[in-house]
Amino acid sequence: MEYILKNSNCTAVVKTLGGELCSFKDSSGKEYLWQSDPKYWPGCAPVLFPIVGALINETIKFDDKPYTIQKHGHARKVEYDVIEAIENKIVLENTYTDETLAHYPYKYKLTVTQTLNDNGFTTEYCVKNVDTVPMIFCLGAHPGFNCPLDGGDFSDYTLVFNKEETPEVYNTDTKSILSFENPIHLMHNKRIPLSHSLFDNDAFIFRKINSDEIKLVNEATGKGLSLSFTGFEALGIWTPPGIKAPFVCIEPWCGLPAIYGESGEFNDKPFAVTLQPGQTYTTSYTMTVI
């Protein structure tokens, strides 16, 4: 089911399947979110839980017991219950089931709140441990933004970070597995000029992110969007390799994909979050038109 959010400046559409924002249009009717064309990528802005990225052989161990979890986890493919729906906000909730426990052995409650702002939107995630034992998880955002936004080409756009970052980033491979052996250098004074060739080896990953705001801007016009976020430790940037897709994903994460040479234990995943029984973890990102 789809819900429409409105205010005097913009509109958005939210799906109960995956709790996903699937459209954002400004006052002129311009669409900012990627529209899920399966020719390139069928997603739009999915929530990644309880893993981000892929696992080696889709397998991870909890206390030495192996479990199978598909890439990016199950939360993007399940129906959410609507807890609240008003003109500019919707609150959706997903909880564990016997099926999720077969792949991820913890009882949880995941709340996704989508809020339409004056000139953008905010997506907030809240994970609650409703189990009797500590739970560990990864959590990530995966919004895709149309690029170009104002005509021109993909390569007319630049990612601008608000803080100094290490110049070294790392590629995942065709299996979406991460290696730290061959870093590449993309940063130029807090900027990454975009080109499709940057993604010939799939996504590139900042293993630790200092910035809490990234702008996607047309260098000629200065127009575009800003993505600000809180509570995330790592970052992925992605567009499908080799097909010149007209969008780019800016993905703040808690956690990293599988890394070659890792132990295979979830407890060893960098930036994974651990919650004691009854505890919650809240994080969010906000897109603003500039």
Side-chain angles (χ1 to χ4, degrees), residues 5-270:
L5 307 182
K6 295 181 180 180
N7 62 26
S8 59
N9 293 325
C10 41
T11 61
V13 180
V14 179
K15 296 190 298 186
T16 55
L17 180 63
E20 184 178 14
L21 197 77
C22 59
S23 174
F24 171 83
K25 295 180 180 179
D26 66 13
S27 58
S28 71
K30 181 192 300 181
E31 178 64 72
Y32 281 75
L33 282 173
W34 171 243
Q35 290 301 285
S36 305
D37 183 348
K39 175 182 175 181
Y40 298 103
W41 177 54
C44 186
V47 53
L48 314 183
F49 174 89
I51 63 169
V52 297
L55 302 174
I56 296 174
N57 298 320
E58 295 189 345
T59 302
I60 194 76
K61 290 184 286 186
F62 295 89
D63 296 326
D64 209 35
K65 181 178 179 180
Y67 288 80
T68 299
I69 306 177
Q70 293 183 352
K71 184 177 180 180
H72 291 322
H74 63 266
R76 62 198 174 104
K77 295 183 176 181
V78 297
E79 281 287 339
Y80 286 62
D81 296 323
V82 176
I83 305 304
E84 178 186 6
I86 59 177
E87 188 173 38
N88 70 329
K89 184 176 78 170
I90 186 168
V91 181
L92 306 110
E93 186 177 272
N94 168 250
T95 57
Y96 73 94
T97 64
D98 289 342
E99 184 177 358
T100 67
L101 289 170
H103 297 277
Y104 174 68
Y106 299 110
K107 298 177 181 179
Y108 69 89
K109 180 185 294 183
L110 171 61
T111 304
V112 179
T113 302
Q114 305 282 9
T115 304
L116 195 61
N117 305 323
D118 286 343
N119 203 26
F121 66 86
T122 297
T123 299
E124 180 186 86
Y125 306 127
C126 181
V127 181
K128 183 174 183 178
N129 181 359
V130 296
D131 214 324
T132 57
V133 297
M135 66 174 279
I136 187 169
F137 62 91
C138 296
L139 176 67
H142 197 329
F145 298 104
N146 289 329
C147 185
L149 282 165
D150 292 293
D153 297 317
F154 186 90
S155 59
D156 294 331
Y157 286 76
T158 295
L159 296 174
V160 183
F161 294 70
N162 73 327
K163 296 180 182 178
E164 293 288 347
E165 303 290 346
T166 174
E168 294 183 347
V169 299
Y170 303 87
N171 278 128
T172 52
D173 63 11
T174 55
K175 296 180 180 180
S176 297
I177 309 301
L178 187 59
S179 172
F180 292 147
E181 291 186 358
N182 298 300
I184 55 178
H185 293 73
L186 295 182
M187 293 293 295
H188 303 279
N189 298 321
K190 302 183 184 178
R191 306 169 82 85
I192 299 179
L194 288 180
S195 68
H196 282 109
S197 63
L198 290 179
F199 302 92
D200 285 347
N201 294 315
D202 204 62
F204 58 85
I205 311 297
F206 289 79
R207 65 191 296 178
K208 174 70 175 176
I209 188 74
N210 297 318
S211 297
D212 54 15
E213 181 185 22
I214 299 170
K215 294 178 181 178
L216 174 66
V217 294
N218 184 313
E219 288 281 25
T221 67
K223 295 182 178 180
L225 61 88
S226 164
L227 193 76
S228 58
F229 44 89
T230 181
F232 296 102
E233 299 285 348
L235 181 77
I237 306 291
W238 177 78
T239 194
I243 55 176
K244 295 185 177 180
F247 71 92
V248 63
C249 293
I250 306 172
E251 308 178 39
W253 295 340
C254 298
L256 289 174
I259 304 163
Y260 285 112
E262 67 176 23
S263 70
E265 278 282 349
F266 208 111
N267 283 336
D268 294 332
K269 271 195 167 296

